[in-house]
Structures are given as C-alpha cells and as structure tokens.
Amino acid sequence: MNRRKRAWRTGLAVVLAVTGAVTVTVAQAAGDTASAATELRDDFNGDGYADVAIAAPEATVDGKTRAGYVAVLYGSASGLNTASKQVISQNTTGIPDSAETDDLFGSALSTADLDRDGYDDLIVGVTGEDSVEGGAETGQVGVVWGGAGGLSGGSTLAYGKNTYDRLSARNQLTVGDVNGDGASDLVVVESLVKLRVIKGPFGRNGAAKGGEQTILDDSDPRFLDLATGDVNGDGIDDVVGTMNDGDEYDHRRITYWRGTPDGLAEKVVLEDSRGWRVQGGESLDLGDVNGDGYEDIVVGRPVDGYDSDADTPIPLGGRVTFIPGGTNGPDGTKAMYVNQDSTGVPGAAERMDGFGTDVSVADVNADGYADVSTGVPGEDFDGLSNAGGVIVLRGSAGGLTGTGAQGFNQNTTGVPGTAETNDAFGRATHLVDGNGDGRAELVVGAPGENTNAGSVWVFRSTSAGITATGSFTFGAGTLGTVAANAKLGSGFNY
C-alpha cells in the first residue's frame, strides 16, 4: 500500500469505455486545496480528480484462467461512476507480454508519477509471470502510463531474478521517494523475504536510472504488507512493513526503515511500552490520523485464536492498531488499539470476524483528521456466515477512536444488493476522493459475491462521514468481463 500527498491539477476529463473509446469533455477546475489529512493522488488523466483501480487477479481473460485484469473508474465532479471506466489486462494493446493461465495480473497495485510527466501511472504486480531469464513464476512488475486520455501503453519495470521469486505478491509492492531526490522509487518484495528498492527516475521504457538497493533480514521474515510515507516529517518517504517469522502468526512485527539521501537506513523494529514487539498484522496503511502533520501507522490484524492472543491487547475478532509518527519516527510506546468491543464501534468482537482486514486511511469528512476504513469480511448476521461488513473509524487529536464509527453491510438501508453467506463483503476497502471535495469516498470489494464472481460498492461522503445514500454497485456485467471465479474487488490501488 502506498500514500503520498499531491497537489491538484487541472486537465481534461475523459470517459473510457471497456472498448477503449475516448470522449473528451469540458475541463473541470480543481477545487480548493484539501486538508492535510486528505491525500491527493491517483489522478491518471490529470483532470484534478482521483481515480481508482480495482484488482481481479484471478479472473479469466480470453480463455486463460487466473490471468487477471484491472478495472479502472475515473473520478469526476460527480465522483466515481461507471460511465468512465476501463479494463486493462496483458492482452490490452500496448501492455507488455500476454495473458496466460495463472499470471495473476493485478496481484498488487500502486500509483505514482514514475516518468514525471504530471500524470499518475498505474503500477501492476503480475506475481505468476514467468521470465526467460529467471524461469517459472519469477513474477513481474509493470506500469501502465497515465496521460490526458487516461491510462494507455505500458512497460516492464522489473522481473524476479529466480524461479518462484513471485515478485509483487498481494500487498507486497509500494512506491515512494525514499531518497528525497524528487523521483519515485519502487519498493517490492522478492521471494517473500527480500526487500528490493528500484530507484527512479524511470524512463518510458521502464528502465530505472537510480540503481537498486537490496535489504536482507537475518530473521528470515515473511512480508505481509508494505507502505511508504513521511513518518518523521523530514520530507523523505520512509518504508514500513508488517511481517512474521516463517509461517507463525505468533511472531508478527512492524518494521520501519527511515528514508535518507542514501536510501533506506537500518531497520527499526517497533516496541511497545513494555519493551515487547508491537505485534503487526496482515494489513497496513499510513496517514495523519491525529492531525499533527506526521504520517501515522495503521495496522490491521484480522486473525485471532493464536497463542499470541495471550500477550497482546484486545485480539478477539481482529483489531486495528494506531502508532503515531513524529520527529523521531513512529512511537510504538504510544500504540492504541481498537476492535469491535471498543466504545462506539458497531457490532461485537467475535472469533474469526476478520476486523482489521485491508485498512485504508484518508479523511472522509474534511475535519482535518484522517479516518480509517476496515473490512470485517467474516462477520455473521441474520443467520448468514461470512456475509461481511465494513467499518469506518474516526481520526482525532487523540488518535484513532471508535467514537462516531460507522458500519455498513449489504443489508444496511440504502445499500444495493442483499447479504448472502460467503459474500466476504469488506475483503478489500479503499478511501479515495473521487469528486475533489476534500472528503474521501469509500470503495468496498466483495470478492465472494455471486459465487466468487465478485462485486464492488461505492459509497458517497458528506460532512458527517460516509453515507449509504447514493451508493451503487457493479460487477462483471458492467465491465463486460468474465464473471466466473473472477473475485472482482480482491484489492485496490494504494
């Protein structure tokens, strides 16, 4: 996952259909600069509105199962809408390679202006890609270039170096300027254990001009998620990772690498007030939750029921951890925890709810504090198992709080659709300001919807927060793609 602050741009709004046809409309002027907590990014066509990319890495493309595609909704003055959409796969004209069985195009997604032309580009992981040099499942990272007409054309940025490196698995890719030279750098996990930093700037052929940095950890970690952002306020992006040792859920941790002019510094493993490791989790994002000007760390730990539950705060049903940033970097001794038993949070903490799944951080009500969305895909209700839900937690001067939290599921009044067993609504969440009003909308994925075809929901935002009023949903029928086992909504760009 990835977070960077951006300035709004003015440009041409475009409508891209699945067929690739382009219609130019009147340019929209950007609004006033949003609060510091609202991060302006992900603008592929330069019209001043943020866009969203949606992963379906297990989808069938031209008869190739699990080849994968990425769907894109473009922002506008009226927000995200399905009239401005695009579907990209490895069989799309200008995209490197071709769709093949088990490629998993879209296994990880991020955005950045890699070529510094003023348009954000879409960085796509293809973790199942084979290469001539490396062999089977080396994995690949590619880019689809942004421009006034939206996303088009692409290049390969990196391959894994060895067989089964599986470069760019889910959540194991992020982009940020980790050496402060003004160019975006690609940070990706190789072989689950190795951090590989490919330093920009990047040319239109995908070649990086800044060299590489490889970070090895003698503890043999398994990376779970990555994020970049300026946690210590020095103007250079830092990298935060969550990981565990081997296959043991009981040995999670959060690691911080400070960005410097020479690249990433030595790791710091975060400790709490007891001097114990702050237990990490499977989901991670950064944002200024307490409004002090430093990006904070937000970690979702959706799994519970392991030995580690005995010595970590409120683990039942999953939890979200808040760790404040500051001049000296993140302060684990001030970690705060929220679960579904916390005051104000809808629902109740129950085993295997999955609270803490796929956290996303942005300001939903323009109060100057970044808020946090989290999925609860294992939520049971109305006699249904794993129907799922999503909860939005509020940021405040005191940090993350359950006070004022909101909850939604498919049986919430105003939400289209009907909750069903194994929908896994909330398996993926994303906060994005698609209409440029300084308030982030909520996008939710339910990859289990319609027997694993998957669907996506978009919720509007108001000064009071997220609302079900005006929410809409779409799936393969809208996109013109193959529905069977596509699991649309498995992830979003970060």
Side-chain angles (χ1 to χ4, degrees), residues 85-389:
K85 62 183 180 292
Q86 187 176 19
V87 174
I88 300 168
S89 75
Q90 286 187 290
N91 280 358
T92 299
T93 301
I95 305 303
D97 297 297
S98 60
E100 299 169 307
T101 298
D102 293 327
D103 271 352
L104 300 174
F105 181 85
S107 56
L109 299 174
S110 191
T111 62
D113 183 4
L114 291 186
D115 59 352
R116 299 192 286 188
D117 66 350
Y119 300 96
D120 283 334
D121 309 307
L122 177 64
I123 296 94
V124 183
V126 196
T127 193
E129 185 71 55
D130 302 337
S131 71
V132 175
E133 295 81 4
E137 296 183 37
T138 58
Q140 177 205 46
V141 179
V143 58
V144 187
W145 300 110
L151 293 166
S152 65
S155 303
T156 296
L157 301 176
Y159 283 101
K161 297 179 180 178
N162 301 289
T163 301
Y164 304 122
D165 272 348
R166 297 187 177 97
L167 194 72
S168 70
R170 175 174 168 81
N171 292 342
Q172 296 179 14
L173 180 159
T174 187
V175 183
D177 182 7
V178 302
N179 58 5
D181 65 353
S184 296
D185 309 308
L186 173 65
V187 185
V188 66
V189 176
E190 194 169 82
S191 298
L192 296 178
V193 301
K194 184 188 303 181
L195 205 60
R196 183 175 167 191
V197 183
I198 304 172
K199 299 178 182 180
F202 291 83
R204 291 287 288 194
N205 63 356
K209 301 176 182 179
E212 290 197 18
Q213 178 183 10
T214 300
I215 297 174
L216 297 174
D217 192 317
D218 57 10
S219 66
D220 189 30
R222 299 294 186 271
F223 281 87
L224 302 171
D225 203 352
L226 285 176
T228 54
D230 189 2
V231 181
N232 64 355
D234 66 353
I236 301 176
D237 282 337
D238 312 303
V239 174
V240 180
T242 58
M243 57 199 71
N244 61 24
D245 297 330
D247 297 324
E248 296 296 325
Y249 282 116
D250 293 338
H251 295 280
R252 298 181 190 85
R253 64 183 182 275
I254 303 169
T255 304
Y256 164 75
W257 292 270
R258 180 173 55 87
T260 78
D262 297 319
L264 296 181
E266 289 293 319
K267 70 178 182 182
V268 175
V269 178
L270 302 191
E271 296 183 348
D272 62 19
S273 58
R274 302 167 296 181
W276 298 359
R277 287 179 175 177
V278 180
Q279 281 215 13
E282 288 64 39
S283 178
L284 167 70
D285 202 1
L286 305 181
D288 189 6
V289 174
N290 60 8
D292 65 355
Y294 299 95
E295 294 206 55
D296 309 310
I297 299 172
V298 178
V299 177
R301 179 189 190 265
V303 302
D304 62 331
Y306 293 87
D307 291 343
S308 59
D309 287 2
D311 58 18
T312 193
I314 56 172
L316 181 62
R319 67 149 189 250
V320 175
T321 303
F322 161 80
I323 300 169
T327 304
N328 297 318
D331 187 350
T333 69
K334 296 180 180 178
M336 301 171 60
Y337 305 90
V338 178
N339 76 353
Q340 281 190 283
D341 282 344
S342 299
T343 301
V345 179
E350 300 169 310
R351 178 79 196 283
M352 299 180 70
D353 274 350
F355 180 85
T357 296
D358 203 34
V359 295
S360 182
V361 182
D363 189 355
V364 303
N365 59 355
D367 65 353
Y369 301 103
D371 308 298
V372 177
S373 65
T374 177
V376 197
E379 188 81 81
D380 303 339
F381 55 87
D382 297 341
L384 305 171
S385 299
N386 302 321

Side-chain angles (χ1 to χ4, degrees), residues 428-493:
T429 80
H430 185 50
L431 294 173
V432 56
D433 184 8
N435 63 0
D437 65 357
R439 299 188 296 258
E441 293 90 59
L442 171 65
V443 189
V444 180
E449 177 77 8
N450 296 331
T451 318
N452 293 328
S455 291
V456 176
W457 280 255
V458 177
F459 293 79
R460 305 302 189 188
S461 61
T462 71
S463 59
I466 300 299
T467 179
T469 302
S471 60
F472 64 91
T473 184
F474 65 94
T478 298
L479 298 174
T481 55
V482 176
N485 296 311
K487 297 183 181 178
L488 176 66
S490 293
F492 300 103
N493 58 292

